[in-house]
Amino acid sequence: MRPPGMRYISTRGMAPRVDFEGALFSGYAPDGGLFMPEELPQLSIETLRQWSTLSYPGLVKELCTLFIGPELIPRDVLNGLIDQAFSRFRHREVVHLSRLRNGLNVLELWHGVTYAFKDLSLCCTAQFLQYFLEKKEKHITVVVGTSGDTGSAAIESVQGAKNMDIIVLLPKGHCTKIQELQMTTVLRENVHVFGVEGNSDELDEPIKAVFADVAFVKKHNLMSLNSINWSRVLVQMAHHFFAYFQCASSLDMDPLPPVEVVVPTGAAGNLAAGCIAQKMGLPIRLVVAVNRNDIIHRTVQQGDFSLSEALEQTLASAMDIQVPYNMERIFWLLSGSNSQVTRALMEQFERTQSVSLPKELHSKPSPVLSGPCLCSQVPRSCPGCRADPRDPCGDPSPGEQGDTLHPDAEG
């Protein structure tokens, strides 16, 4: 299933191909794009049935094996790194599905140390980093911008590491008090937290400018643990597979039954992971939930990928994002891996903060289900939010199950 020596390319097509290690140690690609697998493995129904009995850590191991060559991390070592990553989670299953009424389920992604779903992908990513750094006796500096939970989860994953320093930029007044305390009370020599003026979108701009300076990045061994990092997205794919296997009514059917997955999102990392899982053959229907900062909702509904006049602060501060950078990965997927189309869209957005998507992109049919790849909704239950009556998704149909991810989500 996995092409030998999996390679990664930039969504903008102007950067050299790299292996998993190269993608792991990068922020943005040198051309400003994001790394994606050159080819996506296609999973047969038989493979999905075999995976359906696996635990959440077991699914992470299978997915990582597909995308990390054994020449980089041998399978037994990879399994050990993932086991170590999840050793501090409070729930024995690591991830747990709670069944509610009327076919609605909640996937509990908050059993990590910082109670954020970022703990799941970041603890694995940190283990992969440590493995390569120890082999090469190398030191890196991690640069992270946060609107809430990424900063604390990133700090937790690397605090005390001898071969990593972490710099976290925290937008003053834009995080919850708990998140701020999680970041500012870690007294480790390798942890450096700075409060900055402006919101999370504004602090992303200098971070992107730093990573665009390839010589500076190389000189100082800089990398990012935001969800621009491919390893974050890779591990988050397991959320969707686990949710599907827990919710699907039966795997004896052909084709397999669909499951509707509701994804509250900010920077769209979890959403990108779901889109990749779709492309690999997982029959999920993705519903995007946002708050008043609704750029993804407008993009899905109308093809309007443009900034609002101002960022609005809400109770879900980690979702208060106007520039969901992982949408670039989704555009690349929807365009059929067309880096020229993706580059043109993103460069126009960077120049004008406004792009009108071609109709064939924002209404692209799903590769595994009838209907669109993505639907979107502004939840009624979100204080100060509205429900859009034009939403085509509606409620899950009989026999389908909805899966709701944790609402306090950056990406």
Side-chain angles (χ1 to χ4, degrees):
M1 280 183 294
R2 178 183 52 81
M6 176 71 81
R7 290 285 185 251
Y8 295 86
I9 57 176
S10 169
T11 49
R12 303 194 187 186
M14 304 291 284
R17 295 157 74 237
V18 297
D19 58 13
F20 174 78
E21 183 180 357
L24 174 68
F25 280 92
S26 299
Y28 290 92
D31 61 357
L34 300 176
F35 282 113
M36 285 288 281
E38 195 168 33
E39 294 181 47
L40 288 176
Q42 296 303 297
L43 302 176
S44 67
I45 289 179
E46 189 52 42
T47 298
L48 291 174
R49 285 175 180 147
Q50 290 171 2
W51 284 14
S52 68
T53 61
L54 295 175
S55 63
Y56 178 86
L59 286 168
V60 173
K61 291 170 186 176
E62 292 298 329
L63 285 163
C64 287
T65 299
L66 290 179
F67 291 94
I68 305 171
E71 71 281 0
L72 291 177
I73 307 180
R75 178 66 193 255
D76 60 332
V77 175
L78 180 64
N79 289 349
L81 294 175
I82 292 168
D83 287 336
Q84 178 62 30
F86 295 135
S87 62
R88 297 182 63 203
F89 277 68
R90 292 181 300 277
H91 199 287
R92 59 184 176 82
E93 296 176 76
V94 179
V95 167
H96 176 70
L97 187 93
S98 288
R99 301 188 185 278
L100 307 181
R101 297 177 184 174
N102 302 319
L104 181 67
N105 305 277
V106 175
L107 192 62
E108 298 176 0
L109 302 175
W110 55 78
H111 296 296
V113 175
T114 74
Y115 294 82
F117 88 92
K118 309 297 175 56
D119 288 325
L120 290 156
S121 59
L122 280 164
C123 66
C124 291
T125 299
Q127 289 293 318
F128 302 154
L129 289 170
Q130 288 277 28
Y131 174 77
F132 288 116
L133 290 171
E134 287 174 7
K135 278 184 68 175
K136 298 190 173 181
E137 298 182 348
K138 186 179 172 184
H139 182 278
I140 59 165
T141 298
V142 176
V143 181
V144 172
T146 187
S147 61
D149 48 2
T150 294
S152 51
I155 288 169
E156 173 58 33
S157 70
V158 305
Q159 63 162 309
K162 294 179 181 177
N163 43 19
M164 280 189 269
D165 274 69
I166 184 168
I167 296 171
V168 175
L169 303 181
L170 139 68
K172 289 192 287 189
H174 290 270
C175 296
T176 67
K177 192 65 179 174
I178 291 174
Q179 289 166 337
E180 188 174 310
L181 288 170
Q182 282 181 328
M183 288 181 263
T184 57
T185 57
V186 178
L187 304 178
R188 294 287 194 138
E189 288 186 4
N190 70 324
V191 175
H192 317 279
V193 180
F194 298 90
V196 298
E197 302 294 339
N199 59 47
S200 62
D201 288 331
E202 290 166 337
L203 71 86
D204 279 339
E205 292 176 19
I207 292 175
K208 187 164 188 176
V210 165
F211 282 104
D213 188 338
V214 178
F216 184 84
V217 169
K218 191 172 182 180
K219 178 181 177 182
H220 296 282
N221 289 330
L222 302 181
M223 66 160 292
S224 174
L225 280 180
N226 285 94
S227 58
I228 58 175
N229 192 300
W230 162 250
S231 178
R232 288 271 311 276
V233 177
L234 166 57
V235 176
Q236 287 176 177
M237 287 163 57
H239 307 350
H240 299 274
F241 281 90
F242 186 75
Y244 178 80
F245 295 136
Q246 293 287 309
C247 292
S249 53
S250 170
L251 294 182
D252 295 328
M253 302 154 62
D254 190 358
L256 295 175
V259 166
E260 187 169 84
V261 182
V262 181
V263 186
T265 195
N270 226 350
L271 186 60
C275 289
I276 295 166
Q278 266 189 344
K279 283 278 191 181
M280 291 171 64
L282 189 68
I284 54 174
R285 182 175 290 113
L286 294 165
V287 182
V288 191
V290 298
N291 59 22
R292 283 177 289 185
N293 301 291
D294 64 350
I295 182 171
I296 298 178
H297 178 64
R298 288 183 283 108
T299 302
V300 172
Q301 295 285 351
Q302 307 156 32
D304 174 23
F305 188 61
S306 61
L307 295 188
S308 300
E309 288 185 11
L311 185 81
E312 293 196 50
Q313 285 190 259
T314 72
L315 294 179
S317 60
M319 294 171 66
D320 293 346
I321 291 174
Q322 280 216 82
V323 184
Y325 38 76
N326 278 291
M327 287 302 289
E328 179 163 347
R329 286 186 163 113
I330 295 170
F331 296 157
W332 184 83
L333 289 168
L334 295 179
S335 68
S337 310
N338 190 321
S339 56
Q340 191 172 353
V341 168
T342 306
R343 184 170 68 253
L345 287 171
M346 297 311 300
E347 287 180 351
Q348 181 184 336
F349 179 76
E350 288 164 357
R351 285 194 309 272
T352 67
Q353 284 75 57
S354 179
V355 171
S356 182
L357 292 187
K359 185 168 174 37
E360 59 269 22
L361 277 194
H362 82 84
S363 58
K364 184 84 169 179
S366 164
V368 290
L369 295 173
S370 61
C373 285
L374 296 173
C375 296
S376 65
Q377 195 166 41
V378 185
R380 294 174 181 82
S381 59
C382 183
C385 291
R386 58 183 172 76
D388 193 322
R390 295 167 300 177
D391 175 54
C393 297
D395 295 321
S397 61
E400 291 184 359
Q401 308 266 356
D403 167 55
T404 304
L405 305 184
H406 198 280
D408 192 19
E410 283 174 58

mmCIF file of all heavy atoms in Angstrom, residues 6-41:
data_model
loop_
_atom_site.group_PDB
_atom_site.id
_atom_site.type_symbol
_atom_site.label_atom_id
_atom_site.label_comp_id
_atom_site.label_asym_id
_atom_site.label_seq_id
_atom_site.Cartn_x
_atom_site.Cartn_y
_atom_site.Cartn_z
ATOM 1 N N MET A 6 8.374 6.938 0.845
ATOM 2 C CA MET A 6 7.364 7.992 0.732
ATOM 3 C C MET A 6 8.029 9.358 0.698
ATOM 4 O O MET A 6 8.877 9.678 1.522
ATOM 5 C CB MET A 6 6.407 7.903 1.922
ATOM 6 C CG MET A 6 5.363 9.004 1.988
ATOM 7 S SD MET A 6 4.095 8.887 0.739
ATOM 8 C CE MET A 6 3.002 7.660 1.464
ATOM 9 N N ARG A 7 7.644 10.170 -0.279
ATOM 10 C CA ARG A 7 8.187 11.509 -0.424
ATOM 11 C C ARG A 7 7.087 12.537 -0.235
ATOM 12 O O ARG A 7 5.905 12.267 -0.457
ATOM 13 C CB ARG A 7 8.816 11.682 -1.813
ATOM 14 C CG ARG A 7 10.102 10.888 -1.988
ATOM 15 C CD ARG A 7 11.240 11.581 -1.242
ATOM 16 N NE ARG A 7 12.521 10.928 -1.480
ATOM 17 C CZ ARG A 7 13.184 10.220 -0.579
ATOM 18 N NH1 ARG A 7 12.660 10.027 0.612
ATOM 19 N NH2 ARG A 7 14.358 9.702 -0.853
ATOM 20 N N TYR A 8 7.487 13.738 0.152
ATOM 21 C CA TYR A 8 6.563 14.830 0.401
ATOM 22 C C TYR A 8 6.905 16.011 -0.500
ATOM 23 O O TYR A 8 8.083 16.306 -0.724
ATOM 24 C CB TYR A 8 6.623 15.240 1.879
ATOM 25 C CG TYR A 8 6.143 14.123 2.778
ATOM 26 C CD1 TYR A 8 7.013 13.122 3.204
ATOM 27 C CD2 TYR A 8 4.812 14.041 3.148
ATOM 28 C CE1 TYR A 8 6.563 12.068 3.986
ATOM 29 C CE2 TYR A 8 4.351 12.998 3.939
ATOM 30 C CZ TYR A 8 5.232 12.019 4.347
ATOM 31 O OH TYR A 8 4.774 10.971 5.114
ATOM 32 N N ILE A 9 5.848 16.648 -1.008
ATOM 33 C CA ILE A 9 6.030 17.793 -1.894
ATOM 34 C C ILE A 9 5.253 18.979 -1.348
ATOM 35 O O ILE A 9 4.317 18.826 -0.560
ATOM 36 C CB ILE A 9 5.551 17.474 -3.326
ATOM 37 C CG1 ILE A 9 4.086 17.023 -3.321
ATOM 38 C CG2 ILE A 9 6.448 16.415 -3.970
ATOM 39 C CD1 ILE A 9 3.501 16.789 -4.696
ATOM 40 N N SER A 10 5.636 20.178 -1.773
ATOM 41 C CA SER A 10 4.946 21.381 -1.340
ATOM 42 C C SER A 10 3.650 21.553 -2.126
ATOM 43 O O SER A 10 3.579 21.244 -3.318
ATOM 44 C CB SER A 10 5.829 22.610 -1.553
ATOM 45 O OG SER A 10 5.080 23.802 -1.361
ATOM 46 N N THR A 11 2.643 22.077 -1.446
ATOM 47 C CA THR A 11 1.373 22.366 -2.110
ATOM 48 C C THR A 11 1.541 23.403 -3.215
ATOM 49 O O THR A 11 0.677 23.522 -4.090
ATOM 50 C CB THR A 11 0.356 22.902 -1.094
ATOM 51 O OG1 THR A 11 0.974 23.955 -0.322
ATOM 52 C CG2 THR A 11 -0.124 21.797 -0.161
ATOM 53 N N ARG A 12 2.653 24.145 -3.194
ATOM 54 C CA ARG A 12 2.875 25.180 -4.216
ATOM 55 C C ARG A 12 3.840 24.728 -5.307
ATOM 56 O O ARG A 12 4.072 25.472 -6.266
ATOM 57 C CB ARG A 12 3.344 26.483 -3.567
ATOM 58 C CG ARG A 12 2.352 26.983 -2.527
ATOM 59 C CD ARG A 12 2.579 28.407 -2.098
ATOM 60 N NE ARG A 12 1.699 28.741 -0.977
ATOM 61 C CZ ARG A 12 1.580 29.941 -0.439
ATOM 62 N NH1 ARG A 12 2.289 30.955 -0.923
ATOM 63 N NH2 ARG A 12 0.759 30.152 0.573
ATOM 64 N N GLY A 13 4.404 23.531 -5.144
ATOM 65 C CA GLY A 13 5.149 22.896 -6.228
ATOM 66 C C GLY A 13 6.497 23.469 -6.580
ATOM 67 O O GLY A 13 7.077 23.093 -7.604
ATOM 68 N N MET A 14 7.049 24.356 -5.752
ATOM 69 C CA MET A 14 8.314 25.017 -6.108
ATOM 70 C C MET A 14 9.448 24.662 -5.140
ATOM 71 O O MET A 14 10.508 25.271 -5.191
ATOM 72 C CB MET A 14 8.117 26.544 -6.102
ATOM 73 C CG MET A 14 7.001 27.036 -7.010
ATOM 74 S SD MET A 14 7.387 26.843 -8.755
ATOM 75 C CE MET A 14 8.543 28.207 -8.959
ATOM 76 N N ALA A 15 9.228 23.681 -4.290
ATOM 77 C CA ALA A 15 10.244 23.292 -3.303
ATOM 78 C C ALA A 15 10.708 21.868 -3.592
ATOM 79 O O ALA A 15 9.961 21.068 -4.162
ATOM 80 C CB ALA A 15 9.684 23.388 -1.890
ATOM 81 N N PRO A 16 11.928 21.519 -3.198
ATOM 82 C CA PRO A 16 12.412 20.143 -3.426
ATOM 83 C C PRO A 16 11.585 19.121 -2.648
ATOM 84 O O PRO A 16 11.021 19.422 -1.591
ATOM 85 C CB PRO A 16 13.857 20.188 -2.885
ATOM 86 C CG PRO A 16 14.219 21.635 -2.835
ATOM 87 C CD PRO A 16 12.957 22.376 -2.588
ATOM 88 N N ARG A 17 11.505 17.903 -3.178
ATOM 89 C CA ARG A 17 10.853 16.813 -2.476
ATOM 90 C C ARG A 17 11.683 16.455 -1.250
ATOM 91 O O ARG A 17 12.902 16.538 -1.267
ATOM 92 C CB ARG A 17 10.739 15.581 -3.389
ATOM 93 C CG ARG A 17 9.848 15.780 -4.569
ATOM 94 C CD ARG A 17 10.184 14.824 -5.697
ATOM 95 N NE ARG A 17 9.749 13.455 -5.437
ATOM 96 C CZ ARG A 17 10.544 12.408 -5.437
ATOM 97 N NH1 ARG A 17 11.842 12.539 -5.629
ATOM 98 N NH2 ARG A 17 10.049 11.204 -5.231
ATOM 99 N N VAL A 18 11.000 16.018 -0.191
ATOM 100 C CA VAL A 18 11.698 15.611 1.037
ATOM 101 C C VAL A 18 11.102 14.301 1.527
ATOM 102 O O VAL A 18 10.016 13.897 1.104
ATOM 103 C CB VAL A 18 11.572 16.685 2.148
ATOM 104 C CG1 VAL A 18 12.235 17.988 1.732
ATOM 105 C CG2 VAL A 18 10.105 16.931 2.516
ATOM 106 N N ASP A 19 11.828 13.623 2.430
ATOM 107 C CA ASP A 19 11.255 12.441 3.076
ATOM 108 C C ASP A 19 10.531 12.876 4.353
ATOM 109 O O ASP A 19 10.416 14.086 4.636
ATOM 110 C CB ASP A 19 12.330 11.388 3.369
ATOM 111 C CG ASP A 19 13.455 11.904 4.265
ATOM 112 O OD1 ASP A 19 13.298 12.996 4.869
ATOM 113 O OD2 ASP A 19 14.487 11.216 4.374
ATOM 114 N N PHE A 20 10.029 11.919 5.128
ATOM 115 C CA PHE A 20 9.281 12.274 6.329
ATOM 116 C C PHE A 20 10.123 13.102 7.285
ATOM 117 O O PHE A 20 9.622 14.078 7.882
ATOM 118 C CB PHE A 20 8.778 11.016 7.043
ATOM 119 C CG PHE A 20 8.113 11.321 8.364
ATOM 120 C CD1 PHE A 20 6.815 11.805 8.408
ATOM 121 C CD2 PHE A 20 8.805 11.144 9.559
ATOM 122 C CE1 PHE A 20 6.210 12.116 9.625
ATOM 123 C CE2 PHE A 20 8.206 11.444 10.781
ATOM 124 C CZ PHE A 20 6.907 11.930 10.813
ATOM 125 N N GLU A 21 11.371 12.759 7.446
ATOM 126 C CA GLU A 21 12.230 13.511 8.362
ATOM 127 C C GLU A 21 12.340 14.965 7.916
ATOM 128 O O GLU A 21 12.286 15.888 8.735
ATOM 129 C CB GLU A 21 13.620 12.870 8.431
ATOM 130 C CG GLU A 21 14.551 13.550 9.422
ATOM 131 C CD GLU A 21 15.933 12.915 9.482
ATOM 132 O OE1 GLU A 21 16.166 11.901 8.789
ATOM 133 O OE2 GLU A 21 16.787 13.441 10.229
ATOM 134 N N GLY A 22 12.473 15.182 6.615
ATOM 135 C CA GLY A 22 12.558 16.547 6.098
ATOM 136 C C GLY A 22 11.283 17.335 6.344
ATOM 137 O O GLY A 22 11.321 18.512 6.707
ATOM 138 N N ALA A 23 10.141 16.672 6.154
ATOM 139 C CA ALA A 23 8.862 17.341 6.399
ATOM 140 C C ALA A 23 8.668 17.622 7.884
ATOM 141 O O ALA A 23 8.166 18.683 8.277
ATOM 142 C CB ALA A 23 7.715 16.487 5.860
ATOM 143 N N LEU A 24 9.083 16.671 8.721
ATOM 144 C CA LEU A 24 8.937 16.803 10.175
ATOM 145 C C LEU A 24 9.698 18.009 10.704
ATOM 146 O O LEU A 24 9.198 18.750 11.562
ATOM 147 C CB LEU A 24 9.443 15.528 10.861
ATOM 148 C CG LEU A 24 9.505 15.517 12.388
ATOM 149 C CD1 LEU A 24 8.100 15.543 12.980
ATOM 150 C CD2 LEU A 24 10.270 14.283 12.884
ATOM 151 N N PHE A 25 10.910 18.222 10.195
ATOM 152 C CA PHE A 25 11.768 19.284 10.714
ATOM 153 C C PHE A 25 11.551 20.623 10.013
ATOM 154 O O PHE A 25 12.337 21.547 10.201
ATOM 155 C CB PHE A 25 13.239 18.871 10.639
ATOM 156 C CG PHE A 25 13.655 17.963 11.756
ATOM 157 C CD1 PHE A 25 13.586 16.584 11.616
ATOM 158 C CD2 PHE A 25 14.093 18.486 12.963
ATOM 159 C CE1 PHE A 25 13.953 15.737 12.651
ATOM 160 C CE2 PHE A 25 14.466 17.646 14.007
ATOM 161 C CZ PHE A 25 14.387 16.272 13.854
ATOM 162 N N SER A 26 10.498 20.720 9.236
ATOM 163 C CA SER A 26 10.218 21.958 8.518
ATOM 164 C C SER A 26 9.068 22.712 9.167
ATOM 165 O O SER A 26 8.260 22.146 9.890
ATOM 166 C CB SER A 26 9.841 21.653 7.062
ATOM 167 O OG SER A 26 10.893 21.011 6.387
ATOM 168 N N GLY A 27 8.990 23.975 8.872
ATOM 169 C CA GLY A 27 7.774 24.733 9.132
ATOM 170 C C GLY A 27 7.040 24.754 7.812
ATOM 171 O O GLY A 27 6.601 23.745 7.286
ATOM 172 N N TYR A 28 6.932 25.946 7.244
ATOM 173 C CA TYR A 28 6.450 26.045 5.879
ATOM 174 C C TYR A 28 7.525 25.491 4.942
ATOM 175 O O TYR A 28 8.716 25.490 5.257
ATOM 176 C CB TYR A 28 6.167 27.501 5.517
ATOM 177 C CG TYR A 28 4.969 28.083 6.217
ATOM 178 C CD1 TYR A 28 5.106 28.761 7.431
ATOM 179 C CD2 TYR A 28 3.697 27.957 5.679
ATOM 180 C CE1 TYR A 28 4.006 29.290 8.084
ATOM 181 C CE2 TYR A 28 2.586 28.487 6.328
ATOM 182 C CZ TYR A 28 2.748 29.141 7.529
ATOM 183 O OH TYR A 28 1.656 29.652 8.169
ATOM 184 N N ALA A 29 7.110 25.013 3.780
ATOM 185 C CA ALA A 29 8.073 24.642 2.745
ATOM 186 C C ALA A 29 8.785 25.918 2.280
ATOM 187 O O ALA A 29 8.261 27.027 2.448
ATOM 188 C CB ALA A 29 7.356 23.966 1.584
ATOM 189 N N PRO A 30 9.975 25.790 1.685
ATOM 190 C CA PRO A 30 10.727 26.991 1.273
ATOM 191 C C PRO A 30 9.962 27.908 0.324
ATOM 192 O O PRO A 30 10.235 29.102 0.272
ATOM 193 C CB PRO A 30 11.969 26.402 0.592
ATOM 194 C CG PRO A 30 12.154 25.067 1.223
ATOM 195 C CD PRO A 30 10.767 24.558 1.505
ATOM 196 N N ASP A 31 8.997 27.371 -0.426
ATOM 197 C CA ASP A 31 8.224 28.210 -1.362
ATOM 198 C C ASP A 31 6.971 28.791 -0.713
ATOM 199 O O ASP A 31 6.140 29.392 -1.400
ATOM 200 C CB ASP A 31 7.857 27.424 -2.620
ATOM 201 C CG ASP A 31 6.980 26.206 -2.317
ATOM 202 O OD1 ASP A 31 6.705 25.937 -1.120
ATOM 203 O OD2 ASP A 31 6.579 25.510 -3.267
ATOM 204 N N GLY A 32 6.821 28.620 0.602
ATOM 205 C CA GLY A 32 5.664 29.157 1.312
ATOM 206 C C GLY A 32 4.495 28.210 1.405
ATOM 207 O O GLY A 32 3.494 28.506 2.061
ATOM 208 N N GLY A 33 4.594 27.044 0.757
ATOM 209 C CA GLY A 33 3.524 26.056 0.799
ATOM 210 C C GLY A 33 3.625 25.149 2.010
ATOM 211 O O GLY A 33 4.446 25.364 2.916
ATOM 212 N N LEU A 34 2.787 24.114 2.024
ATOM 213 C CA LEU A 34 2.776 23.129 3.101
ATOM 214 C C LEU A 34 3.074 21.763 2.505
ATOM 215 O O LEU A 34 2.648 21.457 1.386
ATOM 216 C CB LEU A 34 1.397 23.108 3.783
ATOM 217 C CG LEU A 34 0.944 24.429 4.407
ATOM 218 C CD1 LEU A 34 -0.475 24.293 4.951
ATOM 219 C CD2 LEU A 34 1.889 24.861 5.518
ATOM 220 N N PHE A 35 3.787 20.938 3.249
ATOM 221 C CA PHE A 35 4.154 19.622 2.732
ATOM 222 C C PHE A 35 2.969 18.660 2.778
ATOM 223 O O PHE A 35 2.194 18.632 3.737
ATOM 224 C CB PHE A 35 5.326 19.039 3.520
ATOM 225 C CG PHE A 35 6.651 19.637 3.128
ATOM 226 C CD1 PHE A 35 7.374 20.418 4.016
ATOM 227 C CD2 PHE A 35 7.168 19.414 1.854
ATOM 228 C CE1 PHE A 35 8.594 20.974 3.650
ATOM 229 C CE2 PHE A 35 8.392 19.967 1.482
ATOM 230 C CZ PHE A 35 9.103 20.755 2.378
ATOM 231 N N MET A 36 2.856 17.886 1.709
ATOM 232 C CA MET A 36 1.844 16.837 1.582
ATOM 233 C C MET A 36 2.484 15.607 0.945
ATOM 234 O O MET A 36 3.455 15.727 0.197
ATOM 235 C CB MET A 36 0.685 17.308 0.702
ATOM 236 C CG MET A 36 -0.238 18.290 1.373
ATOM 237 S SD MET A 36 -1.274 17.515 2.631
ATOM 238 C CE MET A 36 -2.536 16.740 1.616
ATOM 239 N N PRO A 37 1.950 14.405 1.224
ATOM 240 C CA PRO A 37 2.495 13.204 0.584
ATOM 241 C C PRO A 37 2.355 13.297 -0.932
ATOM 242 O O PRO A 37 1.330 13.765 -1.449
ATOM 243 C CB PRO A 37 1.621 12.070 1.137
ATOM 244 C CG PRO A 37 0.983 12.636 2.358
ATOM 245 C CD PRO A 37 0.831 14.097 2.127
ATOM 246 N N GLU A 38 3.392 12.859 -1.629
ATOM 247 C CA GLU A 38 3.340 12.887 -3.099
ATOM 248 C C GLU A 38 2.234 11.975 -3.623
ATOM 249 O O GLU A 38 1.588 12.276 -4.618
ATOM 250 C CB GLU A 38 4.696 12.448 -3.659
ATOM 251 C CG GLU A 38 4.903 12.757 -5.108
ATOM 252 C CD GLU A 38 6.341 12.581 -5.527
ATOM 253 O OE1 GLU A 38 7.044 11.698 -4.981
ATOM 254 O OE2 GLU A 38 6.780 13.333 -6.428
ATOM 255 N N GLU A 39 2.014 10.868 -2.939
ATOM 256 C CA GLU A 39 0.926 9.954 -3.274
ATOM 257 C C GLU A 39 0.219 9.542 -1.986
ATOM 258 O O GLU A 39 0.858 9.354 -0.961
ATOM 259 C CB GLU A 39 1.449 8.692 -3.973
ATOM 260 C CG GLU A 39 2.058 8.926 -5.330
ATOM 261 C CD GLU A 39 2.530 7.619 -5.960
ATOM 262 O OE1 GLU A 39 1.746 6.649 -5.933
ATOM 263 O OE2 GLU A 39 3.665 7.577 -6.443
ATOM 264 N N LEU A 40 -1.095 9.380 -2.068
ATOM 265 C CA LEU A 40 -1.858 8.914 -0.910
ATOM 266 C C LEU A 40 -2.182 7.440 -1.084
ATOM 267 O O LEU A 40 -2.743 7.038 -2.114
ATOM 268 C CB LEU A 40 -3.160 9.704 -0.767
ATOM 269 C CG LEU A 40 -3.020 11.157 -0.300
ATOM 270 C CD1 LEU A 40 -4.382 11.833 -0.293
ATOM 271 C CD2 LEU A 40 -2.384 11.232 1.077
ATOM 272 N N PRO A 41 -1.835 6.598 -0.102
ATOM 273 C CA PRO A 41 -2.193 5.177 -0.177
ATOM 274 C C PRO A 41 -3.714 5.019 -0.261
ATOM 275 O O PRO A 41 -4.456 5.763 0.375
ATOM 276 C CB PRO A 41 -1.660 4.597 1.136
ATOM 277 C CG PRO A 41 -0.680 5.602 1.651
ATOM 278 C CD PRO A 41 -1.140 6.927 1.150
#
